[in-house]
Amino acid sequence: MKHASIIEQRRRREPDFDLPPQFAGVDDRRLGGRIIASWTEGCGRRRLPAAGEFRAALDAEWLPNLVWLDSGTVRNAGASVASTFGVTPGPLPVQSPFGRALALAAHRSERDAMPARLEGGFARSPGGPVTLLTRGVVLPLDPGEDDATACAVITWTESLPTFDSDRLRHELWLSLTSRADGAMR
């Protein structure tokens, strides 16, 4: 509902406002629910085994977005998560807001032996204008060869603050209309 009111406000201010694109494929809002449902169905509400079909499916589909954890220590991080959030094998960087949120979700997951959700907006760089709107699910694991006791599947999207987004949209609109006017002459 919130997004519908924002779109309507912009439509009133900008008569040529186009609706946001609809993307086919994975719906980010439902990813966590789908993973939890698969976990519940495949594991019968117990910890994910060290090896198995569901864990292999996670690796096959989400490897760049996975983080394997053990009590606040990163055992392995997917390439996308490592490059975006700076998560590398070793102690989880709890001085960063993302690291703290991930550590808390992993702790909840390990303690309750249930999936734990992770949501938040984290700065791309300290003081930078880009925010990473992040969602994730942390699944409890039975320790395996890599000694991981939790697995996090992380997804995110980059967002600008409303002011910066409006300013860029306005500059783009001015640029496009001035080009169109020049081409008509």
Side-chain angles (χ1 to χ4, degrees):
M1 298 308 166
K2 175 183 169 188
H3 298 291
S5 68
I6 291 171
I7 289 171
E8 188 56 38
Q9 288 172 7
R10 285 204 171 151
R11 189 175 283 177
R12 275 188 246 130
R13 284 187 302 200
E14 299 175 39
D16 296 330
F17 178 74
D18 291 329
L19 290 174
Q22 298 295 318
F23 298 104
V26 175
D27 181 2
D28 207 11
R29 292 181 174 271
R30 296 183 340 182
L31 175 63
R34 287 190 355 234
I35 289 174
I36 290 172
S38 294
W39 177 83
T40 302
E41 180 182 307
C43 299
R45 295 191 175 267
R46 64 184 197 286
R47 292 178 186 271
L48 189 64
E53 200 172 294
F54 183 65
R55 190 159 175 183
L58 275 177
D59 272 338
E61 189 170 350
W62 298 104
L63 187 60
N65 295 50
L66 294 180
V67 180
W68 301 97
L69 300 156
D70 175 37
S71 302
T73 302
V74 175
R75 295 295 177 194
N76 196 359
S80 293
V81 174
S83 66
T84 303
F85 295 98
V87 175
T88 57
L92 193 58
V94 292
Q95 68 276 12
S96 75
F98 173 76
R100 279 193 303 275
L102 183 56
L104 287 172
H107 177 72
R108 280 194 321 270
S109 176
E110 290 174 16
R111 180 192 67 211
D112 299 339
M114 294 290 293
R117 292 185 185 268
L118 163 72
E119 289 192 14
F122 306 101
R124 175 70 133 164
S125 60
V130 176
T131 300
L132 300 170
L133 302 176
T134 307
R135 287 198 168 113
V137 175
V138 181
L139 301 170
L141 303 174
D142 279 337
E145 296 171 11
D146 57 2
D147 295 323
T149 56
C151 174
V153 182
I154 309 292
T155 59
W156 62 92
T157 187
E158 292 185 358
S159 173
L160 287 173
T162 305
F163 174 77
D164 292 329
S165 179
D166 287 346
R167 182 181 51 80
L168 288 173
R169 179 180 290 284
H170 181 71
E171 288 174 7
L172 180 61
W173 181 76
L174 287 175
S175 173
L176 291 174
T177 56
S178 67
R179 282 189 180 178
D181 290 343
M184 306 266 292
R185 291 181 189 171

